Amino acid sequence: MSTLPALAEDGLYWGVGAGAFDADFEDSEMPHLNSTTVNGFIGTNVSPYLSLELQIEGIDRDAEVDDDGFKTQFAGVGLSPSAVVKYPLDRENLFEAYVRLGGTYLYYEMSSAELGELVEEGKFQLNLGAGFRTKHFFLEYVNYGKVEGLY
């Protein structure tokens, strides 16, 4: 995921990003999803090593044709509060590594012009992520999955 954050030494920070979304839902009609995502986030630095963040993600997958010839469309929104443990990689705090632990509530629907609404549901997923951050950019991987999928 790439972003243009406004990171502050102390206090609040915010940013926007774009990337890819990959989720598994074992007890759902939508068992696996790969999609693009755009997001916005706001956070606060609790200490030099800990931040709290809230992220909202818009998820949209292009329409695709299934095996029966029906075109389906997927759209969703995710809300993700998380704690971020950070470790500075230099003395000036320009680069840091971090891990993220939180949860995501994902509300999504899948529909077809021919068949109407196919799926509409919400799911809560734990998430665990890791990444590197500078003052104006970050690269992160987040696993959205069940507890047993995080280890």
Side-chain angles (χ1 to χ4, degrees):
M1 169 147 332
S2 62
T3 187
L4 296 172
L7 292 176
E9 295 280 329
D10 299 314
L12 292 176
Y13 59 91
W14 59 272
V16 295
F21 183 90
D22 185 7
D24 292 304
F25 301 99
E26 294 173 6
D27 55 348
S28 168
E29 292 183 41
M30 174 63 85
H32 188 79
L33 170 66
N34 289 323
S35 183
T36 58
T37 180
V38 294
N39 65 55
F41 63 89
I42 187 166
T44 185
N45 291 311
V46 176
S47 78
Y49 301 100
L50 178 66
S51 294
L52 300 176
E53 287 186 7
L54 181 63
Q55 184 176 90
I56 187 164
E57 303 167 272
I59 303 154
D60 187 29
R61 185 172 66 189
D62 292 334
E64 55 187 51
V65 177
D66 66 13
D67 294 337
D68 297 323
F70 295 113
K71 188 182 262 188
T72 58
Q73 178 69 34
F74 176 90
V77 63
L79 186 62
S80 305
S82 59
V84 179
V85 178
K86 308 176 288 183
Y87 184 78
L89 298 175
D90 64 344
R91 290 181 184 222
E92 295 81 27
N93 290 329
L94 297 175
F95 300 97
E96 61 188 21
Y98 63 93
V99 293
R100 169 186 310 281
L101 178 62
T104 299
Y105 179 77
L106 176 64
Y107 171 80
Y108 61 92
E109 63 181 42
M110 189 170 73
S111 60
S112 167
E114 297 88 358
L115 301 175
E117 186 176 295
L118 301 173
V119 176
E120 180 179 358
E121 63 184 2
K123 291 288 177 187
F124 181 80
Q125 297 283 128
L126 294 176
N127 65 52
L128 176 67
F132 296 97
R133 186 181 332 212
T134 69
K135 204 165 194 157
H136 298 289
F137 180 79
F138 78 75
L139 181 63
E140 176 180 56
Y141 173 79
V142 179
N143 178 324
Y144 297 86
K146 304 283 186 198
V147 174
E148 58 269 10
L150 297 179
Y151 54 85

